[in-house]
Amino acid sequence: MQVIFESRHATGSTLRQEALERVRFVLRRLGATVPRTKVMFTDINGPKGGVDKHCLLEVKTEKSGVLVISSLASDWRTALDDGLERLVRALTRTMDRQKKPVRTRLTVLTLEVN
């Protein structure tokens, strides 16, 4: 699985290795269906503080296409963890949908023997 990390903020860049390890750990079971993941950190309003750390997770899956999850928090780690939690839920939900067979109406024919 290829993991791409992007951050224009210096503090976000210091978490690069930790974010890559965390993404690989969380998606280890789903690695066969997820060939590429992109993690982007942005600070929305700069050094003012508050709930402004934005984590964007973009996952390219083989069957479902691209899935994008966005999360906001007051620090980078919380934003990453919240986004990863939502990402795993969404991935498992889409994989379960693909596994379920489509229900069809069964037609019963009765034959009369005389």
Side-chain angles (χ1 to χ4, degrees):
M1 173 177 39
Q2 179 186 18
V3 181
I4 302 167
F5 181 84
E6 290 182 10
S7 178
R8 293 186 181 153
H9 196 271
T11 310
S13 295
T14 59
L15 295 173
R16 180 182 194 283
Q17 190 61 33
E18 184 180 351
L20 295 177
E21 289 173 3
R22 185 79 180 126
V23 168
R24 284 190 182 106
F25 178 77
V26 170
L27 298 178
R28 69 190 180 278
R29 292 184 302 127
L30 305 170
T33 59
V34 180
R36 184 178 65 99
T37 304
K38 188 175 189 178
V39 179
M40 295 185 338
F41 284 160
T42 53
D43 191 356
I44 294 175
N45 65 356
K48 295 178 185 176
V51 181
D52 66 339
K53 307 297 190 249
H54 181 245
C55 177
L56 185 80
L57 299 166
E58 182 180 307
V59 176
K60 181 181 183 280
T61 61
E62 293 180 358
K63 295 182 180 179
S64 302
V66 177
L67 181 64
V68 178
I69 301 292
S70 177
S71 65
L72 283 174
S74 58
D75 63 308
W76 300 111
R77 179 64 189 238
T78 306
L80 178 65
D81 287 342
D82 290 347
L84 285 173
E85 184 179 330
R86 290 176 51 213
L87 177 67
V88 169
R89 254 195 329 246
L91 280 173
T92 53
R93 188 172 50 236
T94 57
M95 287 172 40
D96 287 344
R97 284 184 193 150
Q98 291 172 354
K99 288 181 185 177
K100 289 185 181 176
V102 177
R103 296 178 114 189
T104 58
R105 175 172 269 168
L106 183 64
T107 306
V108 179
L109 297 173
T110 58
L111 297 175
E112 291 185 24
V113 179
N114 290 349

